Amino acid sequence: MAGTTLALLCAVAGMLPVKTLGQTLEWVDAKTLAIEGRAWAGESAHAYDRLPASARERVSPSIWRLAADSSGMAVAFVTNSNVLEARWTVRKPELARPHMAATGVSGLDLYIRDNGQWRWAAIGKPGNAGTEFSARLVGGLPKGERACLLYLPLYNGVESLEIGIVAGSHIRPLVREKKPIIFYGTSITQGACASRPGMTYPAMLGRRLDMPVVDLGFSGNGKMEPGA
């Protein structure tokens, strides 16, 4: 019953506008939390790139371009805030594709662990134009700490991302010591044509096994090239 109640609270809060009466939000840079899906953290030219900067001269221009998409990455954190918001800036103005919704291409996707299971909570839906967005994800959550995974866009890059929590509450990285599962492939692995970032098969397997994943899916480019 507790899990059902939490899922319903999250779903309603994610779909309907919720006023934060008397509450002030504090904004936390996602880079100060745990970013899963970065196999070369500290070696990339951009914080949310999927390949290290040194790969630029060794991979095709197409792979390098797709490596700027944040597919498979998720911000992992623990918080006791009963409200969660997000504001993010994407790197490309093409928010959707003719065959793929903007929620998957450029949106965010929040999951919360409840009674040992990862449950969908809310989406961060991008607007119709521009590159800067904000969204109320959830509100009115029960008291107590909860583990969260906030999945990043599948076919767009993230320039910046901040998470809003109620002032006075706390947030910390969720560090999972397990080695990640690495997926290599083409468009289906990168995320085509999932309606939201948490619905790719690598993300679903990662939640089912409760393990971090690294998504090295590059549309049209998984050609078994020799490792460099």
Side-chain angles (χ1 to χ4, degrees), residues 7 12 36 38 45 54 79 91 97 100 143 194 209-211:
V12 171
E36 295 186 350
R38 296 191 301 181
S54 59
T79 185
R91 298 171 73 177
R97 295 189 166 194
M100 191 170 175
K143 292 182 179 180
L209 300 174
D210 198 22
M211 295 179 66

Side-chain angles (χ1 to χ4, degrees), residues 20 104 148-149 185 221:
T20 310
C148 303
L149 285 175
N221 286 279

Side-chain angles (χ1 to χ4, degrees), residues 40 52-60 63 225-228:
W40 291 273
S54 59
R56 182 165 192 169
E57 303 303 321
R58 304 203 300 267
V59 301
S60 69
I63 289 179
E225 297 95 334

Side-chain angles (χ1 to χ4, degrees), residues 17-124:
V18 180
K19 293 183 179 179
T20 310
L21 297 177
Q23 292 177 313
T24 303
L25 294 183
E26 295 177 350
W27 292 94
V28 179
D29 191 329
K31 294 194 294 292
T32 66
L33 303 171
I35 309 297
E36 295 186 350
R38 296 191 301 181
W40 291 273
E43 300 179 38
S44 57
H46 190 279
Y48 298 100
D49 282 351
R50 290 190 288 156
L51 290 179
S54 59
R56 182 165 192 169
E57 303 303 321
R58 304 203 300 267
V59 301
S60 69
S62 179
I63 289 179
W64 184 251
R65 174 177 54 81
L66 291 168
D69 297 339
S70 55
S71 178
M73 291 188 186
V75 186
F77 60 95
V78 176
T79 185
N80 66 342
S81 178
N82 69 339
V83 172
L84 290 173
E85 296 195 5
R87 57 190 186 192
W88 72 107
T89 302
V90 295
R91 298 171 73 177
K92 296 182 292 188
E94 296 79 22
L95 304 179
R97 295 189 166 194
H99 60 298
M100 191 170 175
T103 48
V105 173
S106 305
L108 306 176
D109 200 6
L110 177 67
Y111 281 76
I112 296 176
R113 189 157 57 194
D114 178 49
N115 291 330
Q117 292 187 334
W118 289 104
R119 300 182 184 276
W120 176 77
I123 58 171

